[in-house]
Amino acid sequence: MAAAGVAGCGLSYAVVSIMGPQSSGKSTLLNQLFGTNFREMDAFKGRSQTTKGIWIARCVGVEPCTVVMDLEGTDGRERGEDDTAFEKQSALFALAISDIVLINMWCHDIGREQAANKPLLKTVFQVMMRLFSPRKTTLLFVIRDKTRTPLEHLEPVLREDIQKIWNSVAKPEAHKDTPISEFFNVEVTALPSFEEKEEQFREQVQQLRQRFSNSIAPGGLAGDRRGVVPASGFLFSSQQIWKVIRENKDLDLPAHKVMVATVRCDEIANDKFGCITSDTEWLDLESAIQSGPIPGFGKKLSNIVDVHLQEYDKEAVYFDEAVRKGKRQHLESRIMNLVQPAFQKMLTHLRMKALEKFKTGLNSSLDSGKGFAVSVRDNTECSLKEFEQGCADAVIKQANWDCSKILEKVRRDIEEHALSIRESKLSELTRHAKEKLRKALAEPVESLFDAADQTTWASIRNVYRRETESILPEFLKKLCGFEMEYAPAEEMVSKLRDYARSVVESKAKEEANKVLIHMKERFITVFSHDKDSIPRVWTGKEDVHAIAKDARSAALKLLSVMVGIRWDDEPDGIESILTSSLLGGSVVSKIASAASADPLASTTWEEIPPMQTMITPAQCKTLWKQFKSETEFTITQAVSTQQAHRRGNSKLPPPWAIVAIAILGFNEIMALLRNPIYLFLLFVGYLIFKALAVQLDVSREFQNGVVPGIISVSAKLLPTIQNLVNKVATEQQVQHQHPLAVEPPQPQMQPPPLLLSPRSPMSELRRLHMPSSPRKVPSSPSSSSSSAMSSPRHVAEDQKPRTVVAGHENESNSADSIV
């Protein structure tokens, strides 16, 4: 202690010791871990005892000051089987003075009593609690030559063994219920083989070395440091502890028989567990269960387990009974842990099968028309019964596993699926009922609004009542199959009734948005048709103002229907308010009443709640102004038509004009009567003027204005006269050459009269109007007069733009006859 400089460290020091089997690499580990120079075994000279007694050194390069003790290995052949007192004493000494105790052990010896030092630790715990004040020591188990088994699988085994040892130790009354954590911190680490994986071994040792830095700090690797003496008194304290340990004669190991039974039964159990893991029948069963349920699964698996347990009993029958039974129970527990995943997989298959059976059965029952609640109840009972039978067939007799939890899961799965189907069916039923209500209400309500009158809302209420009373009882009857409670069923019916109201209200609001169009249509219908729905002919005898007032009144009645939603039967005065405000009185009286009190200067109606108002009074006033401005033109057209009809029917001048003409033109009239030739010339001049007017289409020429019409007629006048004269001359010449040729009427088509143009050459006119055969000259004045009277219509038709094709012969001679 003096040479290493430990005495002056005060309380800043830690003591680390190592214990374990002989030749397990304890000295090598300490040298690699702490940089010490303990003697190591030479593997080339054979395996023998290297460390004798207890060697002590100071760690190099680790703070705080760390004292390392290398203990003699246990289970050495040099001391023999019976001389193990020093092993117990050194182990007890290490536990008494050390903060950290490293327990070196082989990986493949985990679970063995002697190799893991479990009997030794049990004895040490008992003696330590009897001799010393308890202090918290860290037990760091170092697993050497770690195999592929993960550390997380090895550590629980060690911790369980330590806890069992602690529970089995007879404790004083003061510490009877004290947990092991009050005395020890159990840590586990693993290192690879030093000989086979030296580099990896060194790397992990360096990582382990980091854990010893600041080991005495709070949360460090060392214990709680209770009862630690100063470094200056460490020597005396250690001597006294060693003296007490040397004088104790009660330290003893378990009997040899128990130790052998423990080791041998453990080996047999491990061997049988390995046999079942490689059993072909078990492997086939495990593989088959992955794809689906297996009939007789529990019986087959129970037989496999029975075979291997019986083999264990046969080989371990002569060992200690307590040890044998304990190891058998442990083996059985390991086997159950091995086969439990396959059992759970079997239950999963049964669970899915039961759910699928329920789904199929429920669909079939519903398709057959069976009630939903009855179908769910029957299929649930059938599916659960089948699942329970499957569970009974899958249970292993060696295990006491409870299937009630998985049964509850199956029941819950069925209930969830049934609930989802129920919600789906109810939603579908509700959606179907809503669709029927919409179809039953939308079109009738729309047609009622098209023919809106005072009974419109009464008719709408009747339609609503009739359709809901027809559809909702049918819906409620279908709900009986679900066995619903009264309150939820009534709530669904109430929602459907509200939906029907919303359909009516939405359609009413939609039509209210088009009220101006409906008003104009109503006005046109009443204004343009009589009581028998026959279109009016404005002959001048109709009272346009009265008819217009009636049409506006009808439009106003329609507006009064559209202003709000009326679900009650109480009458209101909205129509009279609108009539008095918008239709009655003169403009001056309306202005005066508006200045005093305008009933439409508001945003609400007294008779209609605001939520049911579709058109406010102010909006009615605005709509009426727009309506009047858009219908004024129709009234103006009717008045203009009447005036035009009156002018067209007045053929004779007024009587006063006739009297004035007779008085002022008496001399001219008498002159015409005395000389009939003047009258004849006047008649001929009228005919010629009429023919030219028709041929030139004077009315069409003057459509573009007076000046353009005069210019166009002047340009066409001379060519037209020349054309007529030439045609008449040609006809006369043909008649003189064939005076007696009388040609019967020909049915074929003849060229129509030429659409004359000032630029048409005379030769072209003569060629087109040249007759193909001699014609009969009209012989009587009556025929000439008839031809002359009919010529204006034919000439007017000939003036339309068209391609020059064959026409009738009588049309080609119209102008000639007039001339």
Side-chain angles (χ1 to χ4, degrees):
M1 294 293 293
V6 180
C9 293
L11 296 177
S12 298
Y13 71 100
V15 180
V16 179
S17 60
I18 188 168
M19 56 186 293
Q22 180 178 296
S23 303
S24 61
K26 299 186 297 300
S27 301
T28 304
L29 175 60
L30 294 179
N31 292 336
Q32 296 291 330
L33 186 60
F34 299 109
T36 56
N37 294 314
F38 295 122
R39 182 183 176 189
E40 300 179 4
M41 182 189 72
D42 189 358
F44 294 97
K45 295 181 180 181
R47 304 183 67 83
S48 61
Q49 187 181 49
T50 303
T51 302
K52 296 180 180 181
I54 300 176
W55 292 76
I56 189 169
R58 178 175 177 176
C59 177
V60 178
V62 176
E63 292 296 335
C65 176
T66 302
V67 177
V68 182
M69 293 194 304
D70 188 7
L71 273 67
E72 180 179 329
T74 61
D75 199 20
R77 65 181 179 86
E78 286 78 7
R79 288 190 179 271
E81 183 177 357
D82 298 329
D83 188 12
T84 58
F86 183 80
E87 296 175 1
K88 309 182 201 88
Q89 294 170 357
S90 60
L92 185 56
F93 179 72
L95 287 172
I97 68 172
S98 300
D99 298 301
I100 303 169
V101 177
L102 303 179
I103 299 178
N104 204 41
M105 58 189 306
W106 299 111
C107 181
H108 58 270
D109 286 340
I110 293 179
R112 299 180 180 178
E113 291 287 338
Q114 188 62 27
N117 299 305
K118 289 191 287 185
L120 179 62
L121 286 176
K122 183 175 181 180
T123 304
V124 168
F125 289 166
Q126 294 173 341
V127 176
M128 177 182 176
M129 293 188 64
R130 189 174 72 247
L131 296 179
F132 310 109
S133 299
R135 59 171 301 190
K136 202 162 188 177
T137 304
T138 299
L139 299 181
L140 178 58
F141 287 83
V142 181
I143 302 173
R144 302 294 296 274
D145 296 352
K146 178 181 174 299
T147 60
R148 290 183 297 177
T149 304
L151 179 60
E152 55 266 25
H153 292 171
L154 299 174
E155 183 175 352
V157 177
L158 288 177
R159 291 185 179 274
E160 184 179 359
D161 292 341
I162 295 298
Q163 185 63 42
K164 287 181 179 180
I165 295 172
W166 178 259
N167 294 336
S168 63
V169 170
K171 309 176 185 67
E173 288 297 327
H175 301 290
K176 188 174 183 180
D177 298 326
T178 305
I180 190 174
S181 58
E182 289 292 327
F183 299 94
F184 300 99
N185 291 326
V186 180
E187 301 286 341
V188 181
T189 187
L191 295 174
S193 175
F194 176 74
E195 296 179 354
E196 297 177 2
K197 302 176 181 179
E198 183 176 355
E199 293 297 326
Q200 188 177 356
F201 177 86
R202 294 180 184 276
E203 291 179 2
Q204 294 191 15
V205 165
Q206 292 301 318
Q207 294 176 5
L208 181 60
R209 177 185 174 92
Q210 300 298 324
R211 300 181 63 180
F212 290 86
S213 298
N214 297 321
S215 59
I216 64 174
L221 191 59
D224 59 1
R225 308 281 291 166
R226 288 181 297 178
V228 177
V229 298
S232 59
F234 180 78
L235 177 59
F236 179 77
S237 175
S238 300
Q239 289 174 345
Q240 293 300 317
I241 290 175
W242 180 249
K243 180 179 179 181
V244 172
I245 291 175
R246 294 285 290 181
E247 292 175 355
N248 185 13
K249 305 299 183 181
D250 296 331
L251 289 177
D252 194 4
L253 293 174
H256 178 72
K257 180 181 178 181
V258 176
M259 183 269 296
V260 173
T262 301
V263 174
R264 184 58 187 150
C265 289
D266 198 12
E267 290 177 352
I268 296 173
N270 289 334
D271 180 61
K272 298 311 171 186
F273 184 77
C275 289
I276 194 173
T277 56
S278 59
D279 189 285
T280 306
E281 189 176 356
W282 155 247
L283 294 177
D284 294 341
L285 192 66
E286 185 182 25
S287 176
I289 198 63
Q290 303 300 323
S291 57
I294 300 175
F297 173 81
K299 185 176 181 180
K300 293 178 182 179
L301 190 54
S302 297
N303 293 335
I304 296 173
V305 175
D306 270 343
V307 169
H308 294 282
L309 288 178
Q310 289 173 5
E311 291 180 357
Y312 169 83
D313 293 337
K314 186 184 296 184
E315 295 186 23
V317 65
Y318 298 109
F319 292 101
D320 183 78
E321 183 179 1
V323 176
R324 183 180 72 247
K325 289 183 178 179
K327 293 299 180 182
R328 190 185 191 279
Q329 291 178 357
H330 183 63
L331 174 61
E332 192 172 346
S333 176
R334 293 177 65 188
I335 293 176
M336 292 301 104
N337 291 335
L338 175 67
V339 301
Q340 189 175 17
F343 176 74
Q344 293 294 335
K345 191 69 175 180
M346 179 67 182
L347 294 184
T348 302
H349 290 312
L350 293 176
R351 176 182 176 184
M352 295 175 61
K353 184 179 179 181
L355 183 60
E356 288 300 324
K357 179 178 178 61
F358 174 78
K359 291 180 180 179
T360 305
L362 181 60
N363 292 335
S364 300
S365 300
L366 294 178
D367 293 340
S368 64
K370 200 173 182 181
F372 180 83
V374 177
S375 301
V376 170
R377 189 162 48 249
D378 294 345
N379 287 281
T380 300
E381 182 179 355
C382 182
S383 300
L384 291 178
K385 184 177 180 181
E386 181 178 343
F387 177 78
E388 289 176 353
Q389 293 175 354
C391 288
D393 183 61
V395 168
I396 305 171
K397 67 179 183 180
Q398 292 84 1
N400 190 21
W401 291 331
D402 186 12
C403 297
S404 59
K405 291 184 178 180
I406 192 70
L407 179 62
E408 288 300 323
K409 290 182 179 179
V410 175
R411 191 185 302 275
R412 190 162 53 249
D413 292 342
I414 291 176
E415 290 176 355
E416 289 177 356
H417 180 72
L419 182 61
S420 65
I421 296 298
R422 181 176 183 272
E423 295 297 330
S424 175
K425 292 295 182 182
L426 287 177
S427 298
E428 182 180 357
L429 190 62
T430 304
R431 183 170 61 253
H432 181 66
K434 286 183 177 180
E435 185 66 20
K436 290 180 66 176
L437 287 172
R438 189 185 63 80
K439 290 182 179 180
L441 293 174
E443 293 183 0
V445 169
E446 184 176 359
S447 63
L448 288 174
F449 277 120
D450 289 339
D453 55 13
Q454 296 177 349
T455 63
T456 297
W457 280 106
S459 301
I460 290 175
R461 289 192 294 269
N462 292 333
V463 171
Y464 168 79
R465 190 179 305 108
R466 182 180 67 249
E467 297 300 337
T468 53
E469 291 177 355
S470 172
I471 296 174
L472 295 185
E474 180 183 356
F475 174 78
L476 189 59
K477 182 179 179 181
K478 292 180 180 179
L479 288 182
C480 295
F482 293 87
E483 297 182 2
M484 298 179 63
E485 295 182 359
Y486 178 78
E490 282 299 318
E491 184 180 358
M492 295 182 69
V493 173
S494 177
K495 288 182 179 179
L496 283 179
R497 189 173 286 107
D498 294 340
Y499 174 77
R501 291 173 67 96
S502 67
V503 170
V504 175
E505 292 177 357
S506 62
K507 181 57 67 174
K509 292 177 181 179
E510 180 181 346
E511 296 300 322
N513 292 331
K514 301 184 292 184
V515 64
L516 185 60
I517 298 175
H518 290 306
M519 291 171 64
K520 291 191 290 185
E521 291 177 353
R522 179 66 59 85
F523 176 83
I524 294 298
T525 301
V526 176
F527 186 76
S528 301
H529 299 77
D530 57 13
K531 297 179 180 180
D532 298 327
S533 300
I534 298 175
R536 296 184 189 273
V537 178
W538 303 103
T539 59
K541 299 178 182 180
E542 298 82 4
D543 189 354
V544 177
H545 296 287
I547 295 173
K549 186 174 181 180
D550 293 340
R552 287 180 176 176
S553 177
L556 194 62
K557 290 180 180 179
L558 187 145
L559 178 61
S560 66
V561 173
M562 293 286 192
V563 296
I565 300 172
R566 299 172 177 89
W567 287 112
D568 50 10
D569 297 333
E570 297 180 2
D572 54 54
I574 294 178
E575 182 180 350
S576 60
I577 294 174
L578 292 176
T579 303
S580 61
S581 301
L582 301 177
L583 196 62
S586 63
V587 177
V588 177
S589 62
K590 288 182 180 180
I591 295 174
S593 61
S596 60
D598 188 359
L600 299 182
S602 176
T603 57
T604 57
W605 299 98
E606 294 181 0
E607 296 87 352
I608 301 176
M611 295 298 297
Q612 297 181 359
T613 299
M614 295 187 294
I615 304 174
T616 63
Q619 291 174 342
C620 289
K621 195 171 184 179
T622 304
L623 285 171
W624 185 254
K625 290 180 181 179
Q626 186 177 356
F627 165 75
K628 289 183 65 178
S629 64
E630 293 183 7
T631 55
E632 287 291 343
F633 179 72
T634 304
I635 301 173
T636 304
Q637 274 190 328
V639 174
S640 301
T641 304
Q642 283 187 332
Q643 293 177 355
H645 191 272
R646 293 193 188 100
R647 288 196 299 269
N649 290 336
S650 58
K651 298 180 180 179
L652 296 177
W656 63 268
I658 295 175
V659 173
I661 291 173
I663 295 174
L664 298 177
F666 178 77
N667 296 331
E668 288 77 5
I669 293 173
M670 295 304 297
L672 290 174
L673 293 176
R674 294 190 186 98
N675 298 294
I677 190 64
Y678 291 154
L679 186 61
F680 176 75
L681 291 176
L682 182 62
F683 178 71
V684 171
Y686 169 74
L687 293 180
I688 294 173
F689 177 78
K690 187 68 175 179
L692 290 175
V694 172
Q695 191 75 10
L696 294 174
D697 196 3
V698 175
S699 60
R700 188 182 67 178
E701 296 295 341
F702 278 88
Q703 287 180 354
N704 298 326
V706 178
V707 176
I710 295 174
I711 296 173
S712 178
V713 170
S714 302
K716 295 180 181 179
L717 181 61
L718 184 60
T720 303
I721 295 174
Q722 291 178 353
N723 181 29
L724 292 176
V725 172
N726 291 333
K727 193 170 184 180
V728 171
T730 304
E731 291 293 333
Q732 293 298 326
Q733 183 179 0
V734 172
Q735 291 176 4
H736 287 298
Q737 291 179 358
H738 305 282
L740 299 178
V742 178
E743 182 178 335
Q746 299 295 329
Q748 68 269 16
M749 301 296 292
Q750 297 295 333
L754 178 65
L755 181 62
L756 298 178
S757 173
R759 298 178 179 83
S760 301
M762 189 59 65
S763 59
E764 182 68 18
L765 297 174
R766 189 177 296 109
R767 183 181 65 80
L768 291 174
H769 289 273
M770 185 64 67
S772 58
S773 60
R775 302 183 182 181
K776 182 178 179 180
V777 180
S779 57
S780 64
S782 61
S783 64
S784 175
S785 174
S786 174
S787 176
M789 292 301 293
S790 61
S791 61
R793 177 173 56 85
H794 294 293
V795 173
E797 291 177 356
D798 294 341
Q799 290 300 322
K800 296 179 181 180
R802 59 183 176 179
T803 308
V804 179
V805 295
H808 296 287
E809 184 177 351
N810 57 352
E811 293 179 356
S812 65
N813 294 331
S814 299
D816 300 342
S817 301
I818 294 173
V819 175

